Amino acid sequence: MKIIITESQYKMLLESNNESIQSLIDMAFESLKERCEEDEYSVLYVENQVHATEEIKVVDVQKTTAKDYISGKENSSLFVTIDIYMHSAFEHIDFDEMIWELKQECEKIIGKRNIRLNLREVINTNTDRQW
């Protein structure tokens, strides 16, 4: 799914708060879940990570701007810090593949390649570790 946004909407997204970035992450995660249900992934790791994930929360959003030395254009990037809430009998799951896929989905939605996701913490909501 690709959503076409105007330049003003893109600027608003770059200047936005956590709520609009949270909705972007939610849309990307829903798209990721749909792709898992359609068996688009040949790697089982991504599906396992998606199924174990209950929620992804945006903790912090920072915008950086850098000027290209050659072209003189300003490039903006979003650094988004997230927490993943999972429900699993395992104490820890490696979410690297899912985060990479989530980043790809976010880039498809906004049409730009300037978003970076940083995982701050994985929180397991399962208090009963019995099989």
Side-chain angles (χ1 to χ4, degrees):
M1 169 176 61
K2 186 171 187 174
I3 299 173
I4 299 174
I5 59 176
T6 65
E7 188 66 28
S8 62
Q9 290 170 325
Y10 179 69
K11 286 180 183 178
M12 183 183 75
L13 182 65
L14 287 178
E15 297 168 358
S16 63
N17 54 15
N18 291 7
E19 292 174 9
S20 58
I21 299 300
Q22 179 67 55
S23 65
L24 171 66
I25 295 292
D26 291 343
M27 285 174 31
F29 186 58
E30 287 300 318
S31 176
L32 204 58
K33 282 198 261 186
E34 289 172 8
R35 289 179 61 196
C36 284
E37 289 172 4
E38 296 169 358
D39 291 330
E40 281 191 34
Y41 292 107
S42 59
V43 180
L44 191 60
Y45 297 119
V46 175
E47 290 183 11
N48 290 341
Q49 295 164 4
V50 168
H51 292 304
T53 303
E54 287 185 334
E55 183 179 12
I56 301 173
K57 284 192 178 178
V58 173
V59 178
D60 186 37
V61 178
Q62 293 183 359
K63 177 190 167 203
T64 61
T65 304
K67 196 168 199 176
D68 188 333
Y69 178 74
I70 296 172
S71 67
K73 286 184 173 182
E74 281 192 1
N75 297 321
S76 298
S77 294
L78 288 174
F79 289 88
V80 181
T81 305
I82 59 173
D83 284 345
I84 295 179
Y85 290 83
M86 70 170 194
H87 189 81
S88 175
F90 300 107
E91 287 187 29
H92 179 73
I93 297 176
D94 185 10
F95 284 94
D96 290 342
E97 291 90 1
M98 188 186 82
I99 292 172
W100 188 83
E101 291 291 338
L102 189 66
K103 175 187 171 298
Q104 298 297 315
E105 290 295 324
C106 288
E107 290 174 349
K108 285 180 190 174
I109 291 170
I110 62 174
K112 302 282 183 175
R113 299 198 175 273
N114 64 344
I115 188 165
R116 306 292 180 261
L117 298 180
N118 180 33
L119 178 62
R120 183 183 76 163
E121 192 172 359
V122 175
I123 301 159
N124 193 347
T125 59
N126 184 11
T127 57
D128 182 21
R129 301 273 193 261
Q130 299 295 327
W131 291 83

